[in-house]
Amino acid sequence: MIWRENILLHIKLAATASASLNSQSERKERESEMVGPKYDCLANPLGAVRLTFEKAIASGADPASFDGKDWGAVDLFRQFLFEDGALSHVPILNPTTIKWVQPNTLVRFRGMIQDMLGNEFYAGAYKDGSVWRTNKFMDVCQYPMGSSPDMRIWERRLLYCIPVPGQNSWTESLSEVAMNKTSQQREKRQRMEDDASNHMDLVLVDEFESSPSVKKMRENGHASPSSQSKDSVIEGTSNTNFVTNAERNSLPCLVKIYDCPESELKLNEVFEFVGVLTLDSDVMADKDDQDESSYGFIEDELVHLPPEKVPRLHCLIHRKLDVNDFLHSSPMMEPKPRLVKETRESLLRHLTSILGNDGIAAHLMLLHLLSRVHARIDNVAVGKLSLNLTCLSKESVSVFGNQVRLSVQNLLPFTQCIPLTVNYLNTASLAPKKDYQTNRLIPGVLQLADGSHLIIDETQLETGTLNSTGVENARLLKNLMEFQKVEYNFEYYKMEMIADVQMLILSEGKSNIVPADLVIPFQPSSAASFEVVPAETLEAWRWYLASVRSLPHSIESDMQKVVESDLVAARQADRSLGGQDLSRLLTMGRLMSASFGETSLSLEHWQMVKELERLRRERLK
């Protein structure tokens, strides 16, 4: 009996000491948060926001004038991130970093605007006694609020953002990779500490369980104290661990935008948002406990987006991203001709190799990868150049098709592949659709960011019957191919959204579902060779594609006369040529010039286009 009391006393003393240490640690953390660095923008951004607000108020500014305007906080963070070079130190929010990044710290989120959830009203400024406070860039008020008549109601926009569809893993920044490795090491250390702690607990429990008094209790039908405490510990800790339910590589984010014109952020555009991360799961509960005037007016839609699944980011700074921003090395503004030519030749050799030494197909593939919509005239998307490789069977596509798919994934940041079958057409959700029950835009396969590449494998298509969904999906694919537009289904009406998606079709015969701009019968002369491409070479190819495809282009007056004369002669020789064919030749001329890093069409490059077109048409006979 005395032995048992000694054991219990030791356990009690250990628990008291641990509680005392925890209490001291928590008190020090609170004191650190209260005192903290004056402008710790990375670890305590809300402190910097609060201090700049207090400084603005002290200078005599009226809080009412801050509605839709910055009082100096954004300027402070812009200097910190860009002028002081701290942007690379801000963690990028993803399924890995979300496990360790702390709430109310500065984070980045890179993604596509998938849905716009409208606006949210909140108590932006209020008086706490005689002191003005602000709730900007936060979900939960840090100080008590009464029903003060001096309260200022402000407005912010809600954007539902997702990782860019089809984003390839090589686009991760070097800092992001380093942070992920650090996170893995942190998790490993935590597991080791947990295992050690659990081992010590088991030793104490085993010694206690083996004592005569505990054995006697068990014989009398009573549960041992240790088994009761173990159950309570398990129940207690299971509610405190934060684990997102988002699938790997698909962490969404609810971004709250302040002081920004609506025209500046559009659906499907890709942005980098830098702001304050909040993971407070008590926000919705607080809403039920408080009246509307106590904090803000939270939209009902947010009930379907719980913080434990969709973290919130209160945006301080945002910037639009393009393909160049996903490269590890920034492309030069004006690529040097010699470097461009060398890179073009090496990439063309690679494309020729994976296409079984089909040089014509490789040249057309290069032009296809450089294409983009650079203008819209009436209903025509100028600059697109879709490609259809025919004469591919189920067997050959498993070799050459896979090589092409892997190569495109390694070259371009956003790629998708659709296995086109009757069943897929009859069941897939290609167009985004509005769900008015949750007031959410349900994403579709064709909701893609500009600059995305889409491979459509039609070799699996067999005879079958399309239902109404299949017919609609076939029409959606054809419209995207021809007009670079996707219809969004809002139930009571449909809205066309413009797109810029490169489309490559792999098929046995010419595709009738998705008629491409260029059709070329695939004629390999050897098996596709698998080669390990050095990382430096891949970087050079990515740089090349991103740089030259964005070059401006023009045609000098002398070349205009030559081109016009050649097009008239081509039309006279073949009356089947239409306006689309002539427009495609001009697009090919533009892309051929760009492939050499040139900004104007030369006679040499125009002759190359005509010869390439002649060889292509010979194959079609």
Side-chain angles (χ1 to χ4, degrees), residues 14-283:
T16 303
S18 176
S20 177
L21 288 173
N22 289 336
S23 177
Q24 292 176 14
S25 175
E26 290 173 359
R27 186 169 63 254
K28 288 181 179 179
E29 287 180 4
R30 286 197 300 270
E31 291 173 354
S32 175
E33 289 176 359
M34 292 175 65
V35 178
K38 186 174 183 180
Y39 283 127
D40 191 348
C41 295
L42 192 61
N44 185 22
L46 290 178
V49 169
R50 183 175 65 251
L51 288 172
T52 54
F53 178 77
E54 293 172 354
K55 182 178 179 181
I57 293 296
S59 66
D62 182 2
S65 65
F66 296 149
D67 186 8
K69 295 181 181 179
D70 175 47
W71 55 72
V74 174
D75 291 337
L76 175 69
F77 281 94
R78 186 172 285 110
Q79 177 181 345
F80 170 71
L81 295 170
F82 302 112
E83 296 181 18
D84 298 343
L87 183 64
S88 61
H89 299 292
V90 181
I92 296 179
L93 203 60
N94 58 37
T96 302
T97 58
I98 191 66
K99 298 175 183 177
W100 58 264
V101 72
Q102 294 298 310
N104 298 324
T105 59
L106 200 67
V107 298
R108 286 185 284 166
F109 182 82
R110 287 182 155 199
M112 184 185 81
I113 301 176
Q114 191 273 322
D115 194 6
M116 296 182 168
L117 303 180
N119 294 348
E120 179 184 60
F121 295 93
Y122 70 104
Y126 65 96
K127 266 193 173 182
D128 177 16
S130 61
V131 180
W132 278 101
R133 309 283 190 188
T134 182
N135 285 323
K136 199 171 185 179
F137 306 114
M138 63 184 74
D139 282 324
V140 179
C141 179
Q142 293 184 333
Y143 299 93
M145 276 194 308
S147 54
S148 171
D150 295 317
M151 185 180 297
R152 300 289 183 262
I153 303 300
W154 296 344
E155 195 174 3
R156 55 194 175 198
R157 294 177 65 194
L158 305 178
L159 303 178
Y160 185 80
C161 301
I162 61 174
V164 184
Q167 183 174 344
N168 293 310
S169 59
W170 62 261
T171 60
E172 285 188 354
S173 65
L174 297 179
S175 61
E176 190 174 358
V177 172
M179 287 178 182
N180 288 342
K181 289 182 179 179
T182 303
S183 174
Q184 293 170 2
Q185 294 171 357
R186 183 184 289 105
E187 290 176 5
K188 184 177 180 180
R189 286 196 302 269
Q190 184 64 45
R191 285 195 299 269
M192 293 174 64
E193 291 172 0
D194 291 344
D195 291 343
S197 175
N198 292 337
H199 175 71
M200 291 301 296
D201 291 342
L202 288 172
V203 169
L204 282 174
V205 168
D206 289 342
E207 290 179 355
F208 187 53
E209 291 281 345
S210 60
S211 65
S213 56
V214 172
K215 287 181 179 179
K216 186 174 181 180
M217 289 174 63
R218 195 182 296 115
E219 290 170 359
N220 293 335
H222 300 291
S224 67
S226 63
S227 64
Q228 293 175 351
S229 64
K230 279 191 290 184
D231 291 340
S232 63
V233 168
I234 292 172
E235 291 175 2
T237 55
S238 64
N239 294 327
T240 57
N241 292 331
F242 173 78
V243 180
T244 62
N245 293 329
E247 295 179 354
R248 183 179 179 271
N249 295 329
S250 61
L251 180 72
C253 185
L254 181 66
V255 180
K256 302 195 176 187
I257 299 292
Y258 299 82
D259 314 332
C260 175
E262 289 192 10
S263 59
E264 198 169 299
L265 298 122
K266 297 178 182 178
L267 200 66
N268 302 336
E269 290 184 335
V270 179
F271 278 86
E272 179 176 66
F273 302 98
V274 184
V276 183
L277 172 69
T278 59
L279 302 169
D280 198 334
S281 59
D282 297 328
V283 173

Side-chain angles (χ1 to χ4, degrees), residues 321-334:
L321 303 179
D322 58 22
V323 173
N324 294 345
D325 294 297
F326 289 89
L327 303 181
H328 290 174
S329 56
S330 300
M332 293 179 292
M333 294 302 294
E334 295 183 4

Side-chain angles (χ1 to χ4, degrees), residues 488-505:
Y488 286 35
N489 186 353
F490 287 89
E491 190 171 340
Y492 306 109
Y493 64 95
K494 294 183 179 180
M495 179 182 293
E496 281 189 337
M497 302 291 291
I498 61 173
D500 185 4
V501 179
Q502 298 171 332
M503 301 181 72
L504 172 65
I505 301 92

Side-chain angles (χ1 to χ4, degrees), residues 360-361 364 510 517-521 523 570-571 573-578 580-582 584-585 588 609-621:
I360 299 176
L364 295 177
K510 179 182 177 181
D517 299 311
L518 279 175
V519 178
I520 178 69
Q523 295 180 0
R571 181 69 183 273
D574 186 355
R575 291 292 180 180
S576 65
L577 290 178
Q580 290 184 347
D581 296 298
L582 302 179
R584 174 176 49 78
L585 285 172
M588 292 173 66
V609 168
K610 291 198 299 180
E611 177 64 13
L612 192 59
E613 178 67 3
R614 184 187 67 80
L615 294 173
R616 185 188 73 86
R617 295 182 75 85
E618 277 187 1
R619 283 196 185 181
L620 292 172
K621 292 179 180 179

Side-chain angles (χ1 to χ4, degrees), residues 328-445:
H328 290 174
S329 56
S330 300
M332 293 179 292
M333 294 302 294
E334 295 183 4
K336 296 180 179 179
R338 182 184 62 81
L339 182 59
V340 169
K341 186 177 180 180
E342 292 175 355
T343 309
R344 180 187 188 277
E345 289 175 355
S346 66
L347 176 56
L348 193 57
R349 284 196 300 270
H350 171 71
L351 294 175
T352 303
S353 175
I354 64 172
L355 289 170
N357 287 327
D358 187 342
I360 299 176
H363 274 86
L364 295 177
M365 179 70 73
L366 176 61
L367 299 185
H368 161 71
L369 294 176
L370 291 174
S371 65
R372 67 181 178 93
V373 178
H374 62 84
R376 292 182 183 271
I377 302 175
D378 296 330
N379 211 27
V380 179
V382 182
K384 71 182 182 70
L385 191 70
S386 52
L387 180 63
N388 183 187
L389 294 181
T390 63
C391 302
L392 282 162
S393 63
K394 293 180 181 178
E395 293 74 22
S396 61
V397 81
S398 65
V399 179
F400 294 104
N402 281 340
Q403 286 281 63
V404 169
R405 178 179 56 82
L406 290 173
S407 180
V408 171
Q409 284 181 353
N410 283 323
L411 292 173
L412 303 177
F414 319 129
T415 60
Q416 296 271 49
C417 186
I418 292 179
L420 206 63
T421 63
V422 172
N423 181 63
Y424 181 86
L425 287 171
N426 286 339
T427 57
S429 299
L430 297 188
K433 183 178 181 180
K434 184 74 172 182
D435 182 351
Y436 286 96
Q437 295 296 321
T438 59
N439 201 25
R440 285 288 319 285
L441 183 65
I442 307 302
V445 175

